[in-house]
Amino acid sequence: MNVASSLFAQILFVVFALLTVVSAAVVVFSPRIIHSAFGLLFTFCGVAALYVFLYADFLAVTQLLIYVGGILILIIFGLLLTQRVMDSKYFEQSHQRIAAGVLGVVLAGVLFGVVLATPWTQAPRPDTPTTEIIGVSLLTQYLIPFEMASMLLLVALIGAVWLARTKRGHHE
Amino acid sequence: MNNLTIYLAIGVILFVLGLIAVMTSKNLVKILMGVELILNAAGLNFVAFTRFTTTNLDGQIAALFIIVVAASEAAVALAIILNFYRQRRAIDVNLADSLRG
């Protein structure tokens, strides 16, 4: 039986899709930066739930671990170190609002048109677990990109530490 | 309801919202959040195409690499933001004009 076609799953899907889109809107339009950070939390969780609906089990867990557990914590640390988040009178400044809004609406219209007008080939994948296939192909077909990704992470780690460290003689 | 189009529509909305955040915000951290939204939209599209249009898992592996790149990008960007804040005492992008001629 196809799990994704039952009524309960459909309701759950709509809930998670709305959660993703609404919290992404909160991220963009909230005047308080800390609200944006918490909106981002719900967007990441919503995208992880959508990955579950797409039978990408390994990727859903990875999304939760890396995005929610890593990147979001990093962003919140950056906020707490650089912003007056506790100051209730402080609001975000924004600029180019009208131009960005018009461009965004036009671009969204064009992209929706393309999505609806293109005859996508439909060849659904069988609903099998993905972890084993991903693991095998990362160590065979995608071995070089896999190693490049590990080098990229190492370089980014060392670079981030070097950039963020307080330079000697520049203490204030 | 639960087909390719709806996932692509969610991807479009996430992408456009991220783009608006990047264009309108003066706050470096909020621009970083917009970039993360755009990367999430791309990953969602990859996974949706994997589910509905192919029988292999290449798209999910591409989404995995997107997550790796997003993680390293966030780390380096936060380091740059901290450095910038230490020098300017604020993270308004309009203050980043040292290279202006």
Side-chain angles (χ1 to χ4, degrees), chain A residues 7-158:
Chain A
L7 181 67
F8 179 63
Q10 297 242 335
I11 293 171
L12 221 56
F13 173 78
V14 172
V15 167
F16 280 120
L18 281 179
L19 175 79
T20 309
V21 171
V22 170
S23 56
V26 169
V27 172
V28 180
F29 298 116
S30 166
R32 305 286 301 277
I33 187 80
I34 195 75
H35 294 177
S36 299
F38 282 104
L40 206 59
L41 166 68
F42 289 107
T43 309
F44 289 158
C45 290
V47 172
L50 293 180
Y51 284 170
V52 173
F53 278 97
L54 289 165
Y55 290 88
D57 47 358
F58 179 72
L59 212 55
V61 176
T62 312
Q63 166 94 3
L64 276 184
L65 278 178
I66 311 264
Y67 266 107
V68 181
I71 295 176
L72 191 67
I73 299 297
L74 212 59
I75 285 177
I76 290 178
F77 262 107
L79 271 185
L80 293 178
L81 287 173
T82 57
Q83 315 263 320
R84 290 170 288 170
V85 283
M86 295 306 164
D87 187 351
S88 59
K89 292 191 195 70
Y90 179 72
F91 287 107
E92 281 299 299
Q93 304 284 314
S94 58
H95 58 165
Q96 304 167 353
R97 277 196 164 168
I98 296 163
V102 169
L103 185 65
V105 169
V106 169
L107 189 63
V110 169
L111 289 175
F112 274 128
V114 169
V115 165
L116 290 176
T118 311
W120 305 106
T121 53
Q122 298 277 331
R125 223 177 56 76
D127 304 334
T128 51
T130 59
T131 311
E132 184 184 354
I133 311 173
I134 287 179
V136 168
S137 38
L138 274 183
L139 287 181
T140 52
Q141 192 187 352
Y142 291 98
L143 185 61
I144 300 290
F146 182 68
E147 296 296 335
M148 293 298 284
S150 59
M151 284 305 292
L152 174 74
L153 280 174
L154 181 67
V155 170
L157 196 69
I158 295 174

Side-chain angles (χ1 to χ4, degrees), chain A residues 44 83 95 123 142 163-164, chain B residues 24 27 40 52 58 83 86 91:
Chain A
F44 289 158
Q83 315 263 320
H95 58 165
Y142 291 98
L163 276 174
Chain B
T24 57
N27 189 326
N40 260 285
F52 291 108
D58 292 352
N83 228 343
R86 206 176 286 138
I91 54 171

Side-chain angles (χ1 to χ4, degrees), chain B residues 45-64:
Chain B
N45 273 14
F46 267 120
V47 179
F49 281 125
T50 306
R51 170 85 179 110
F52 291 108
T53 66
T54 66
T55 52
N56 57 24
L57 279 178
D58 292 352
Q60 289 198 14
I61 291 171
L64 209 58

